């Protein structure tokens, strides 16, 4: 949901709901495990601290916290003089301050507090995103720690002296009562605040939260691998738990609070930027630490709490031999699966012994390595989660855990629920929807219950354990967030997903020499020309051919991973590339959905659907490239640099929108069969009124049509005999004919390996390259500007001002207003 237009273009309420719906449910773990493995060990002596609080009369076993006068928040809220939530929970500020000042430590040295507790009932903390989000309470870095005090001279005047989300270490949400609507509202807000912390501040590796409904209290935690919630405790009666939580966070170091010590926040010029350290072994074998000063964020795909959280920056680095000289580079920061080959290592292995011409088809690595925190790999499971894997129970146990609700609620026939959505673009699951990390040996772990992120009160029913749908609807309407949540498409709050173990992640950075623009961003800016698409397809075909020759498959060919640089295209993002026929024994589905082969998305062959061992092969990569070309033509329209669009053009544009929505719908399950049909049927092209284009564009589209025929033939020939485990087959043996010289009725004869047809056939990659690079007599490559269809109204303004439209915000990865983003369909 957070990868669709609901999030990208939605208002704040829709964005909050999308984030909750993406999570669906989270593991619920005992409080003692939360304290043992998650809460920082700050050497606070809880027993001695409790003795001090008792002696001071701050807390007693009979009356609880003195600031609450022996009453609960609900009881205080019912009093005529204290009927506001803010007034009641303002007492917590006093409680927290007494806990911090009374803290005793196991060592003789008492540190200074790192945090102060604050409430901002009338002002929203400053956010670099401009979002006006206000938590009920929060822990804020003290003046010795906060960026807004240490850099007073550098920050803008409008931010000086104001609370800022950069300094908020943990958040809290309160309710005077513990009704279902109160619980839902607290969950809704705490999840959004945790998401906001992880999204707005690029230094954050993990974050903490607390929710209170009357006296029912839960601790929350999130990192790039998982979101956890504790079982409830009573903050009044179980004071030692609250003391341990507050005192531990108050005296924790910024690193223990989730801040990345290898990133520094700085105000430079017109905004906030980061200085990023990377220590790794250089090509000369020497281990060096370099500091990269970011100048802009090219892409920010940290929309989901869980997942890769890939961020790409343009940065500068000093020349190691002359500090007066700086170089501009691209730095990619992400959290990758622990067991996956690092992108820099994959590129090094792929390009070993390659010619200069072959190396030009890919980006050049300057430096890469795993982020180190205090000498340890910055990994979610080992470093952040204390070596624990918090698992989910079996599906039949889920139903029992939720008040014996009807088990059919959890087994809706919905393909989406078998997909592990981690963060915007590629999957790493097998055909059963299982994360492959579950199939590998795991260390001992705690099997936690699933905690749903939307709660229904138990309705009256004639049969125990069954909730009538009408009752569900009525309950949702009565709840605070019910109407808004139910208005969203997937209803994931009613569907607890199958058992999931989220892949452990490790923090990884890679720096590239070339600073280019992705085909995706250029296409949405109005600067793209058809000739750019033609050249990009040609160069990427050569790159894929080279990879196939070396026995590699890319598995994520997309418009966002084709980089335009100095009139050439480079194939990027080899994070999911692997050697063909080597690796997992079961099928792993990866890729950006809207450019993914139909067979890969469905997980089975078209011509041999009963063959179980499906594998992503080089022809699937080639098909993804074809989808890139189709997307460029279906979602972008050729416009004149000098003339307005007439009525006939507008009508043609409307037709293109209809066809585009069919091929690139918002939700992936709708399109799978449509996309497969598109590969094997030439009729679809004739339906698109191609004749309304001018001759150069018709020529370009006809090349895409011949490209399609080559793919269709290659799929048929490949699937005549399965399995195909030899990579050389796809570059040396697999041959197709030139579609211009073969009619559709002759395809069967051409596909037979008849020596008489040999002169008509070429290796499939060579044939595709020839088709894309060939010019029709008298017609060169089309050089018309291609505008995104949903920005076409800005063209008339551009004709007057020659100012390009503001590119769509790809920091969240949306392909366009109708698309999911690149990480909406993956475990990357």
């Amino acid at each position: 949901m957070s990868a669709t237009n609901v999030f990208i273009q939605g208002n704040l309420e829709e964005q909050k709901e999308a984030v909750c719906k993406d999570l669906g449910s989270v593991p619920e773990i005992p409080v003692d495990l939360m304290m043992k493995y998650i809460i920082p060990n700050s050497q606070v002596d809880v027993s001695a601290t409790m003795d001090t609080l008792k002696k001071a009369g701050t807390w007693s076993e009979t009356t609880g916290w003195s600031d609450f006068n022996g009453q609960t928040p609900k009881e205080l809220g019912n009093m005529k003089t204290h009927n506001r939530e803010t007034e009641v929970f303002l007492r917590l500020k006093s409680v927290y301050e007494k806990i911090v000042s009374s803290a005793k430590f196991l060592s003789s040295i008492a540190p200074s507090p790192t945090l102060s507790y604050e409430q901002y009932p009338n002002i929203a903390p400053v956010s670099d995103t401009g979002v006006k989000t206000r938590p009920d309470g929060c822990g804020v870095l003290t003046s010795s720690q906060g960026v807004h005090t240490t850099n007073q001279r550098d920050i803008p005047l409008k931010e000086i002296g104001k609370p800022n989300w950069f300094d908020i270490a943990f958040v809290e949400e309160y309710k005077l009562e513990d009704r279902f609507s109160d619980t839902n509202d607290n969950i809704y807000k705490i999840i959004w605040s945790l998401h906001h912390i992880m999204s707005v501040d690029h230094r954050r590796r993990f974050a903490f939260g607390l929710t209170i409904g009357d006296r029912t209290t839960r601790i929350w935690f999130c990192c790039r691998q998982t979101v956890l919630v504790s079982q409830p405790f009573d903050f009044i009666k179980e004071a030692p738990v609250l003391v341990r939580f507050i005192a531990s966070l108050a005296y924790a170091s910024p690193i223990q609070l989730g801040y990345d010590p290898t990133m520094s926040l700085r105000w430079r010029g017109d905004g906030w930027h980061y200085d990023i350290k990377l220590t790794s072994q250089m090509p000369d074998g020497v281990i060096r630490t370099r500091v990269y000063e970011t100048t802009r964020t090219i892409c920010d795909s940290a929309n989901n709490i869980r997942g890769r959280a890939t961020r790409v920056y343009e940065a500068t680095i000093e020349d190691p031999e002359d500090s007066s000289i700086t170089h501009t580079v691209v730095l990619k920061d992400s959290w990758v699966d622990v067991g996956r080959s690092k992108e820099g290592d994959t590129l090094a292995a792929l390009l070993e012994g390659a010619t200069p011409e072959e190396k030009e088809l890919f980006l050049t690595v300057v430096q890469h390595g795993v982020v180190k925190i205090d000498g340890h790999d910055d990994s979610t499971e080992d470093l952040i989660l204390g070596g624990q894997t918090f698992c989910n129970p079996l599906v039949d146990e889920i139903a029992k855990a939720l008040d014996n609700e009807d088990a059919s609620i959890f087994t809706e026939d919905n393909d989406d629920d078998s997909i592990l959505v981690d963060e915007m673009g590629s999957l790493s699951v097998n055909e059963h929807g299982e994360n492959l990390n579950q199939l590998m040996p795991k260390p001992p772990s705690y099997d936690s219950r699933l905690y749903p992120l939307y709660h229904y009160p138990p309705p009256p029913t004639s049969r125990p354990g069954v909730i009538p749908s009408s009752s569900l609807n009525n309950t949702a309407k009565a709840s605070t967030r019910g109407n808004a949540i139910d208005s969203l498409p997937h209803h994931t709050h009613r569907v607890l997903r199958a058992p999931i173990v989220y892949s452990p992640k490790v923090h990884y950075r890679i720096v590239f020499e070339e600073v280019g623009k992705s085909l995706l961003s250029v296409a949405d800016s109005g600067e793209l020309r058809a000739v750019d698409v033609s050249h990009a397809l040609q160069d990427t075909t050569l790159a894929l051919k080279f990879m196939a020759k070396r026995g590699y498959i890319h598995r994520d060919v997309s418009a966002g991973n084709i980089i335009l640089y100095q009139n050439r295209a480079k194939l990027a993002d080899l994070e999911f590339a692997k050697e063909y026929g080597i690796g997992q024994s079961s099928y792993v589905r990866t890729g950006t959905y809207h450019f993914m082969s139909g067979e890969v998305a469905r997980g089975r062959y078209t011509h041999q659907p009963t063959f179980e061992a499906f594998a992503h092969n080089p022809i699937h990569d080639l098909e993804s490239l074809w989808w890139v070309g189709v997307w460029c033509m279906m979602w972008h329209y050729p416009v004149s640099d000098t003339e307005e669009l007439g009525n006939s053009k507008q009508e043609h544009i409307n037709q293109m929108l209809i066809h585009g929505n069919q091929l690139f719908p918002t939700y992936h399950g709708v399109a799978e069969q449509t996309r497969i049909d598109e590969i094997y049927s030439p009729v679809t092209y004739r339906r698109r009124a191609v004749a309304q284009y001018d001759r150069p564009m018709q020529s370009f589209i006809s090349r895409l049509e011949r490209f399609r025929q080559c793919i269709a033939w290659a799929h048929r020939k490949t699937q005549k005999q399965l399995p195909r485990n030899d990579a050389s087959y796809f570059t040396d043996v697999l041959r197709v004919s030139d579609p211009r010289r073969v009619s559709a009725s002759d395809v069967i004869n051409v596909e037979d390996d008849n020596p008489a047809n040999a002169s008509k056939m070429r290796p499939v990659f060579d044939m595709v390259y020839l088709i894309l690079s060939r010019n029709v007599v008298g017609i060169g490559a089309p050089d018309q500007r291609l505008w995104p269809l949903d920005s076409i109204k800005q063209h008339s303004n551009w004709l007057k001002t020659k100012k390009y439209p503001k590119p769509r915000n790809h920091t969240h990865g949306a392909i366009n207003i109708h698309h999911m983003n690149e990480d909406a369909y993956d475990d990357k």
Side-chain angles (χ1 to χ4, degrees):
M1 291 300 302
S2 63
T4 66
N5 192 42
V6 171
F7 189 95
I8 307 303
Q9 302 291 335
N11 58 38
L12 182 58
E13 294 302 301
E14 290 172 325
Q15 290 178 335
K16 290 179 179 180
E17 288 152 11
V19 171
C20 276
K21 288 176 71 63
D22 273 345
L23 291 173
S25 57
V26 299
E28 180 184 29
I29 67 174
V31 175
D32 61 340
L33 287 186
M34 182 73 80
M35 293 297 176
K36 181 177 181 180
Y37 294 108
I38 304 300
I39 303 305
N41 180 8
S42 56
Q43 298 298 306
V44 173
D45 188 330
V46 177
S47 178
T49 303
M50 286 301 304
D51 288 342
T52 302
L53 292 170
K54 291 177 184 177
K55 290 177 182 178
T58 302
W59 182 84
S60 73
E61 294 181 356
T62 55
T63 60
W65 298 104
S66 60
D67 287 279
F68 283 83
N69 301 324
Q71 295 176 298
T72 68
K74 180 179 179 180
E75 291 169 343
L76 289 171
N78 288 333
M79 297 173 61
K80 292 183 179 180
T81 56
H82 299 285
N83 59 357
R84 292 183 59 194
E85 178 184 295
T86 302
E87 295 174 2
V88 171
F89 282 102
L90 191 59
R91 298 162 184 258
L92 272 179
K93 180 177 174 63
S94 176
V95 169
Y96 289 175
E97 289 173 348
K98 291 172 182 176
I99 290 174
V100 174
S101 63
S102 302
K104 304 299 179 184
F105 299 88
L106 299 175
S107 63
S108 58
I109 301 176
S112 299
T114 308
L115 299 178
S116 64
Y117 177 76
E118 304 294 342
Q119 290 180 336
Y120 303 115
N122 300 316
I123 182 174
V126 175
S127 171
D128 198 38
T129 63
V131 174
K132 303 298 182 182
T133 295
R134 185 179 68 245
D136 287 341
C138 54
V140 181
L141 292 174
T142 59
S143 58
S144 62
Q145 305 289 342
V147 67
H148 294 86
T149 54
T150 56
N151 297 317
Q152 286 282 357
R153 291 179 302 174
D154 300 328
I155 68 175
L157 292 175
K158 64 180 181 179
E159 294 188 17
I160 293 180
K162 294 182 180 180
N164 194 297
W165 275 95
F166 287 137
D167 294 335
I168 293 177
F170 75 90
V171 287
E172 298 189 337
E173 293 295 337
Y174 316 129
K175 284 290 179 291
L176 293 174
E177 298 191 46
D178 192 23
R179 300 167 298 187
F180 281 89
S181 59
D182 299 316
T183 299
N184 290 332
D185 199 57
N186 265 348
I187 293 171
Y188 175 86
K189 290 178 177 177
I190 198 73
I191 292 294
W192 174 256
S193 290
L194 291 173
H195 163 272
H196 196 63
I197 285 176
M198 299 290 280
S199 176
V200 71
D201 190 345
H202 299 190
R203 301 170 298 169
R204 298 309 297 269
R205 301 156 52 234
F206 53 87
F208 302 93
L210 193 79
T211 54
I212 300 177
D214 187 18
R215 58 202 300 166
T216 302
T217 311
R218 291 179 183 270
I219 298 171
W220 294 77
F221 172 82
C222 70
C223 67
R224 293 306 177 187
Q225 179 178 336
T226 189
V227 178
L228 301 174
V229 62
S230 76
Q231 292 175 352
F233 67 93
D234 187 329
F235 85 93
I236 294 178
K237 289 187 175 295
E238 300 175 79
V241 179
L242 184 68
V243 169
R244 168 70 192 279
F245 177 76
I246 294 300
S248 293
L249 292 185
Y251 288 98
S253 68
I255 295 177
Q256 292 175 311
L257 293 171
Y259 288 89
D260 186 345
T262 67
M263 296 183 70
S264 302
L265 189 61
R266 296 283 184 266
W267 181 271
R268 282 196 293 269
D270 59 348
W272 289 105
H273 301 276
Y274 296 90
D275 293 344
I276 302 177
K277 292 182 181 178
L278 179 56
T279 301
S280 68
Q281 184 172 332
M282 304 299 288
D284 59 7
V286 178
I287 295 178
R288 289 194 180 93
T289 298
R290 303 181 109 184
V291 178
Y292 297 88
E293 298 183 358
T294 66
T295 54
R296 68 183 177 100
T297 301
I298 298 173
C299 176
D300 183 349
S301 299
N303 251 9
N304 293 345
I305 296 175
R306 294 183 301 223
R308 289 191 316 143
T310 299
R311 293 182 172 109
V312 182
Y313 308 90
E314 182 182 281
T316 59
I317 179 69
E318 289 183 358
D319 189 295
E321 298 180 358
D322 187 349
S323 60
S324 64
I325 301 175
T326 59
H327 301 282
T328 303
V329 295
V330 169
L331 186 150
K332 178 180 175 182
D333 180 285
S334 61
W335 293 79
V336 301
D337 287 356
V338 167
R340 182 164 284 139
S341 176
K342 305 302 183 291
E343 186 174 359
D345 295 332
T346 300
L347 272 167
L350 174 68
L351 297 176
E352 185 177 2
T355 66
E357 292 77 14
E358 291 167 337
K359 291 180 179 179
E360 284 184 359
L361 299 170
F362 303 90
L363 296 174
T364 306
V365 178
V366 175
Q367 185 181 10
H368 74 104
V370 172
V371 177
K372 301 286 186 179
I373 304 292
D374 290 337
H376 301 282
D377 288 354
D378 190 13
S379 63
T380 55
E381 186 167 289
D382 293 335
L383 189 62
I384 296 176
L385 296 175
Q388 294 296 301
T389 299
F390 297 99
C391 307
N392 295 342
L394 298 176
V395 174
D396 58 352
E397 294 176 353
I398 298 173
K400 297 176 184 177
L402 296 179
D403 299 324
N404 294 320
E405 291 181 1
D406 186 6
S408 65
I409 291 178
F410 312 110
T411 57
E412 293 184 9
D413 185 18
N414 185 342
D415 289 340
D416 292 339
D417 299 320
S418 66
I419 292 170
L420 294 181
V421 178
D422 205 331
E423 173 232 334
M424 270 184 30
S426 302
L427 286 174
S428 286
V429 299
N430 63 19
E431 66 270 26
H432 303 296
E434 299 167 328
N435 187 308
L436 287 192
N437 286 275
Q438 286 181 285
L439 308 178
M440 302 177 182
K442 281 285 180 181
S445 58
Y446 174 78
D447 290 333
S448 57
R449 294 185 182 278
L450 280 177
Y451 182 73
L453 297 184
Y454 191 82
H455 291 251
Y456 293 110
T461 177
S462 57
R463 184 161 63 90
V466 177
I467 301 178
S469 59
S470 59
S471 181
L472 284 173
N473 292 336
N474 292 336
T475 301
K477 292 177 181 178
S479 299
T480 305
R481 303 291 173 188
N483 286 336
I485 292 177
D486 279 346
S487 68
L488 296 173
H490 284 168
H491 300 288
T492 52
H493 61 279
R494 291 186 54 199
V495 182
L496 290 180
R497 299 186 180 111
I500 297 171
V501 177
Y502 287 95
S503 305
K505 309 287 184 187
V506 65
H507 199 176
Y508 176 72
R509 289 175 182 148
I510 184 168
V511 182
F512 297 107
E513 181 179 303
E514 298 88 354
V515 182
K517 292 183 178 181
S518 72
L519 184 65
L520 174 64
S521 62
V522 175
D524 272 353
S525 69
E527 299 180 60
L528 184 69
R529 292 186 177 274
V531 67
D532 299 326
V533 180
S534 180
H535 291 161
L537 296 180
Q538 292 173 43
D539 286 341
T540 308
T541 300
L542 293 178
L544 290 175
K545 175 187 174 182
F546 172 77
M547 291 186 69
K549 277 276 190 184
R550 291 295 177 99
Y552 279 83
I553 49 176
H554 188 281
R555 302 198 300 168
D556 192 16
V557 178
S558 69
N561 291 335
I562 297 175
I563 307 301
L564 303 182
Y565 178 75
Q566 294 184 351
N567 300 318
R568 294 294 302 273
K570 294 177 178 285
L571 183 57
D573 198 357
L574 271 70
E575 183 177 325
F576 284 82
K578 65 185 289 285
E579 291 184 70
Y580 178 69
I582 298 178
Q584 291 94 343
S585 58
S586 58
Y587 161 59
V588 180
R589 177 172 40 182
T590 67
T592 303
Y593 181 76
H594 286 97
F595 308 113
M596 188 185 293
S597 163
E599 289 185 348
V600 170
R602 193 164 61 175
R604 65 177 182 270
Y605 295 108
T606 301
H607 305 290
Q608 296 286 353
T610 60
F611 190 84
E612 294 184 0
F614 179 82
H616 188 133
N617 64 47
I619 304 305
H620 294 125
D621 281 346
L622 200 57
E623 182 185 331
S624 292
L625 181 61
W626 178 78
W627 281 112
V628 170
V630 172
W631 175 75
C632 287
M633 301 311 301
M634 293 304 304
W635 279 117
H636 305 85
Y637 199 81
V639 297
S640 169
D641 288 348
T642 57
E643 298 177 0
E644 292 272 4
L645 296 171
N647 292 334
S648 62
K649 293 283 188 182
Q650 291 291 350
E651 190 173 329
H652 193 204
I653 288 170
N654 293 336
Q655 293 180 20
M656 294 299 101
L657 278 170
I658 293 172
H659 296 307
N661 275 312
Q662 294 172 344
L663 293 179
F664 305 100
T666 301
Y667 298 111
H668 52 270
V670 180
E672 287 176 4
Q673 189 57 50
T674 302
R675 292 164 67 84
I676 290 174
D677 293 342
E678 187 78 8
I679 289 293
Y680 293 102
S681 174
V683 178
T684 53
Y685 274 85
R686 292 200 290 270
R687 291 175 180 165
R688 295 193 185 130
V690 173
Q692 293 192 34
Y693 286 121
D694 57 20
R695 194 177 176 198
M697 290 303 297
Q698 290 180 32
S699 169
F700 184 66
I701 293 173
S702 71
R703 295 179 209 176
L704 282 178
E705 167 61 8
R706 297 200 296 277
F707 188 171
R708 178 199 65 78
Q709 287 177 267
C710 288
I711 296 169
W713 296 347
H715 278 320
R716 289 192 184 101
K717 296 188 73 170
T718 299
Q719 295 172 35
K720 280 186 175 182
Q721 183 179 353
L722 294 172
R724 294 285 189 184
N725 295 324
D726 52 329
S728 61
Y729 164 82
F730 297 96
T731 55
D732 301 332
V733 179
L734 179 58
R735 301 167 72 87
V736 295
S737 179
D738 186 344
R740 291 197 312 168
R741 301 173 61 183
V742 182
S743 65
S745 60
D746 293 332
V747 168
I748 296 178
N749 294 328
V750 171
E751 287 192 316
D752 291 334
D753 295 323
N754 188 332
N757 295 322
S759 62
K760 304 178 182 178
M761 306 177 77
R762 291 175 180 264
V764 62
F765 284 95
D766 293 346
M767 182 61 73
V768 168
Y769 182 79
L770 181 66
I771 290 169
L772 293 173
S773 58
R774 177 182 291 148
N775 290 333
V776 178
V777 177
I779 301 178
D783 192 29
Q784 292 168 288
R785 191 182 304 279
L786 299 177
W787 277 63
L789 291 182
D790 53 351
S791 300
I792 207 77
K793 293 180 181 178
Q794 301 180 45
H795 178 247
S796 58
N797 184 58
W798 180 86
L799 289 173
K800 302 173 185 176
T801 63
K802 299 299 180 182
K803 292 182 179 180
Y804 289 107
K806 185 178 180 180
R808 193 167 295 101
N809 186 0
H810 283 290
T811 59
H812 294 303
I815 292 176
N816 61 46
I817 197 169
H818 301 285
H819 285 131
M820 295 195 305
N821 59 12
E822 287 190 82
D823 287 327
Y825 196 82
D826 78 320
D827 188 34
K828 67 175 189 168

